[in-house]
Tab-separated table of all heavy atoms in Angstrom:
chain	number	residue	atom	x	y	z
B	21	LEU	N	1.373	7.823	77.226
B	21	LEU	CA	2.465	8.787	77.061
B	21	LEU	C	3.422	8.634	78.220
B	21	LEU	O	3.044	8.738	79.383
B	21	LEU	CB	1.925	10.194	76.944
B	21	LEU	CG	1.035	10.576	75.739
B	21	LEU	CD1	-0.398	10.310	76.058
B	21	LEU	CD2	1.262	12.020	75.374
B	22	LYS	N	4.690	8.321	77.797
B	22	LYS	CA	5.685	7.991	78.879
B	22	LYS	C	6.373	9.278	79.400
B	22	LYS	O	6.615	10.239	78.677
B	22	LYS	CB	6.689	7.055	78.281
B	22	LYS	CG	6.160	5.675	77.950
B	22	LYS	CD	7.222	4.703	77.516
B	22	LYS	CE	6.800	3.270	77.507
B	22	LYS	NZ	5.573	3.038	76.815
B	23	CYS	N	6.634	9.173	80.688
B	23	CYS	CA	7.428	10.228	81.352
B	23	CYS	C	8.271	9.546	82.436
B	23	CYS	O	7.770	8.863	83.304
B	23	CYS	CB	6.486	11.206	82.017
B	23	CYS	SG	7.291	12.480	83.015
B	24	ASN	N	9.593	9.855	82.351
B	24	ASN	CA	10.466	9.354	83.438
B	24	ASN	C	11.189	10.599	83.947
B	24	ASN	O	11.451	11.576	83.281
B	24	ASN	CB	11.510	8.361	82.895
B	24	ASN	CG	10.886	7.050	82.543
B	24	ASN	OD1	10.408	6.839	81.463
B	24	ASN	ND2	10.829	6.170	83.542
B	25	TYR	N	11.492	10.576	85.266
B	25	TYR	CA	12.156	11.721	85.926
B	25	TYR	C	13.356	11.250	86.630
B	25	TYR	O	13.568	10.051	86.970
B	25	TYR	CB	11.132	12.436	86.840
B	25	TYR	CG	10.687	11.558	88.050
B	25	TYR	CD1	11.445	11.570	89.238
B	25	TYR	CD2	9.627	10.733	87.924
B	25	TYR	CE1	11.011	10.815	90.282
B	25	TYR	CE2	9.221	9.979	89.004
B	25	TYR	CZ	9.956	9.979	90.201
B	25	TYR	OH	9.602	9.203	91.243
B	26	SER	N	14.219	12.238	86.908
B	26	SER	CA	15.464	12.009	87.658
B	26	SER	C	15.453	12.948	88.801
B	26	SER	O	15.693	14.082	88.675
B	26	SER	CB	16.671	12.261	86.745
B	26	SER	OG	17.836	12.171	87.484
B	27	TYR	N	15.161	12.414	90.015
B	27	TYR	CA	15.173	13.229	91.229
B	27	TYR	C	15.150	12.262	92.422
B	27	TYR	O	14.290	11.401	92.475
B	27	TYR	CB	13.973	14.150	91.214
B	27	TYR	CG	13.873	14.978	92.464
B	27	TYR	CD1	14.885	15.896	92.777
B	27	TYR	CD2	12.773	14.878	93.350
B	27	TYR	CE1	14.820	16.714	93.916
B	27	TYR	CE2	12.725	15.691	94.527
B	27	TYR	CZ	13.760	16.565	94.805
B	27	TYR	OH	13.670	17.330	95.939
B	28	SER	N	16.053	12.470	93.322
B	28	SER	CA	16.231	11.519	94.469
B	28	SER	C	15.225	11.818	95.623
B	28	SER	O	14.993	10.953	96.425
B	28	SER	CB	17.613	11.521	94.958
B	28	SER	OG	17.947	12.858	95.284
B	29	GLY	N	14.645	12.959	95.660
B	29	GLY	CA	13.796	13.298	96.769
B	29	GLY	C	12.350	12.942	96.460
B	29	GLY	O	12.083	12.074	95.659
B	30	SER	N	11.397	13.612	97.131
B	30	SER	CA	9.993	13.371	96.840
B	30	SER	C	9.461	14.326	95.797
B	30	SER	O	9.352	15.490	96.083
B	30	SER	CB	9.181	13.588	98.100
B	30	SER	OG	9.355	12.513	99.072
B	31	PRO	N	9.209	13.877	94.612
B	31	PRO	CA	8.859	14.753	93.551
B	31	PRO	C	7.389	15.049	93.507
B	31	PRO	O	6.565	14.299	94.101
B	31	PRO	CB	9.217	13.956	92.284
B	31	PRO	CG	8.925	12.543	92.705
B	31	PRO	CD	9.253	12.477	94.165
B	32	GLU	N	7.079	16.122	92.905
B	32	GLU	CA	5.630	16.379	92.589
B	32	GLU	C	5.599	16.485	91.101
B	32	GLU	O	6.389	17.204	90.465
B	32	GLU	CB	5.156	17.703	93.226
B	32	GLU	CG	4.910	17.521	94.725
B	32	GLU	CD	5.070	18.801	95.523
B	32	GLU	OE1	5.089	19.830	94.885
B	32	GLU	OE2	5.214	18.689	96.763
B	33	LEU	N	4.639	15.697	90.504
B	33	LEU	CA	4.580	15.604	89.081
B	33	LEU	C	3.253	16.051	88.512
B	33	LEU	O	2.223	15.861	89.157
B	33	LEU	CB	4.902	14.118	88.669
B	33	LEU	CG	6.410	13.849	88.825
B	33	LEU	CD1	6.710	12.503	89.327
B	33	LEU	CD2	7.147	14.096	87.506
B	34	PHE	N	3.341	16.545	87.277
B	34	PHE	CA	2.134	17.107	86.640
B	34	PHE	C	2.158	16.698	85.139
B	34	PHE	O	3.275	16.479	84.607
B	34	PHE	CB	2.211	18.670	86.651
B	34	PHE	CG	2.401	19.213	88.029
B	34	PHE	CD1	3.668	19.274	88.645
B	34	PHE	CD2	1.330	19.760	88.753
B	34	PHE	CE1	3.872	19.814	89.867
B	34	PHE	CE2	1.557	20.307	90.030
B	34	PHE	CZ	2.795	20.364	90.587
B	35	TRP	N	1.001	16.695	84.565
B	35	TRP	CA	0.894	16.664	83.113
B	35	TRP	C	0.151	17.954	82.698
B	35	TRP	O	-0.913	18.251	83.233
B	35	TRP	CB	0.066	15.420	82.596
B	35	TRP	CG	0.913	14.188	82.519
B	35	TRP	CD1	1.010	13.183	83.484
B	35	TRP	CD2	1.749	13.856	81.439
B	35	TRP	NE1	1.839	12.267	83.026
B	35	TRP	CE2	2.379	12.622	81.752
B	35	TRP	CE3	2.083	14.393	80.221
B	35	TRP	CZ2	3.245	11.956	80.945
B	35	TRP	CZ3	2.997	13.782	79.415
B	35	TRP	CH2	3.523	12.563	79.742
B	36	TYR	N	0.758	18.637	81.703
B	36	TYR	CA	0.166	19.844	81.120
B	36	TYR	C	-0.162	19.472	79.642
B	36	TYR	O	0.564	18.667	79.013
B	36	TYR	CB	1.081	21.032	81.186
B	36	TYR	CG	1.088	21.773	82.510
B	36	TYR	CD1	1.754	21.232	83.614
B	36	TYR	CD2	0.304	22.938	82.661
B	36	TYR	CE1	1.740	21.933	84.804
B	36	TYR	CE2	0.313	23.567	83.880
B	36	TYR	CZ	0.968	23.081	84.958
B	36	TYR	OH	0.986	23.698	86.156
B	37	VAL	N	-1.225	20.091	79.111
B	37	VAL	CA	-1.617	19.826	77.755
B	37	VAL	C	-1.870	21.135	76.981
B	37	VAL	O	-2.300	22.124	77.604
B	37	VAL	CB	-2.917	18.902	77.728
B	37	VAL	CG1	-4.070	19.623	78.399
B	37	VAL	CG2	-3.331	18.527	76.308
B	38	GLN	N	-1.488	21.120	75.682
B	38	GLN	CA	-1.775	22.268	74.866
B	38	GLN	C	-2.493	21.805	73.612
B	38	GLN	O	-1.837	21.164	72.726
B	38	GLN	CB	-0.458	22.929	74.473
B	38	GLN	CG	-0.642	24.283	73.774
B	38	GLN	CD	0.647	25.069	73.700
B	38	GLN	OE1	1.723	24.523	73.622
B	38	GLN	NE2	0.486	26.437	73.659
B	39	TYR	N	-3.766	22.109	73.519
B	39	TYR	CA	-4.525	21.842	72.318
B	39	TYR	C	-4.255	22.900	71.244
B	39	TYR	O	-3.761	23.968	71.541
B	39	TYR	CB	-6.053	21.834	72.594
B	39	TYR	CG	-6.439	20.790	73.662
B	39	TYR	CD1	-6.668	21.154	74.963
B	39	TYR	CD2	-6.498	19.440	73.345
B	39	TYR	CE1	-6.972	20.226	75.983
B	39	TYR	CE2	-6.812	18.500	74.319
B	39	TYR	CZ	-7.043	18.940	75.646
B	39	TYR	OH	-7.339	17.969	76.555
B	40	SER	N	-4.487	22.512	70.010
B	40	SER	CA	-4.168	23.412	68.895
B	40	SER	C	-4.815	24.788	69.127
B	40	SER	O	-5.942	24.924	69.412
B	40	SER	CB	-4.716	22.826	67.596
B	40	SER	OG	-4.375	23.639	66.504
B	41	ARG	N	-3.972	25.841	69.003
B	41	ARG	CA	-4.384	27.228	69.110
B	41	ARG	C	-4.930	27.612	70.506
B	41	ARG	O	-5.692	28.562	70.609
B	41	ARG	CB	-5.451	27.540	68.026
B	41	ARG	CG	-4.949	27.392	66.643
B	41	ARG	CD	-5.975	27.795	65.596
B	41	ARG	NE	-5.601	27.411	64.259
B	41	ARG	CZ	-4.690	27.984	63.462
B	41	ARG	NH1	-4.032	29.027	63.962
B	41	ARG	NH2	-4.394	27.563	62.322
B	42	GLN	N	-4.614	26.785	71.478
B	42	GLN	CA	-5.027	27.074	72.854
B	42	GLN	C	-3.768	27.272	73.776
B	42	GLN	O	-2.709	26.864	73.399
B	42	GLN	CB	-5.976	26.033	73.424
B	42	GLN	CG	-7.330	25.967	72.637
B	42	GLN	CD	-8.291	25.087	73.404
B	42	GLN	OE1	-8.201	24.816	74.559
B	42	GLN	NE2	-9.173	24.465	72.572
B	43	ARG	N	-4.022	27.811	74.926
B	43	ARG	CA	-2.896	27.993	75.840
B	43	ARG	C	-2.654	26.703	76.577
B	43	ARG	O	-3.500	25.822	76.726
B	43	ARG	CB	-3.197	29.189	76.770
B	43	ARG	CG	-4.401	29.074	77.601
B	43	ARG	CD	-4.611	30.403	78.434
B	43	ARG	NE	-4.983	31.510	77.587
B	43	ARG	CZ	-4.967	32.778	77.990
B	43	ARG	NH1	-4.531	33.063	79.232
B	43	ARG	NH2	-5.356	33.729	77.177
Side-chain angles (χ1 to χ4, degrees):
Chain B
L21 292 89
K22 291 184 167 52
C23 173
N24 288 90
Y25 64 90
S26 173
Y27 180 60
S28 55
S30 288
E32 284 153 16
L33 285 143
F34 307 79
W35 277 99
Y36 279 78
V37 61
Q38 189 169 30
Y39 301 102
S40 180
R41 301 183 190 284
Q42 293 188 29
R43 58 185 72 193

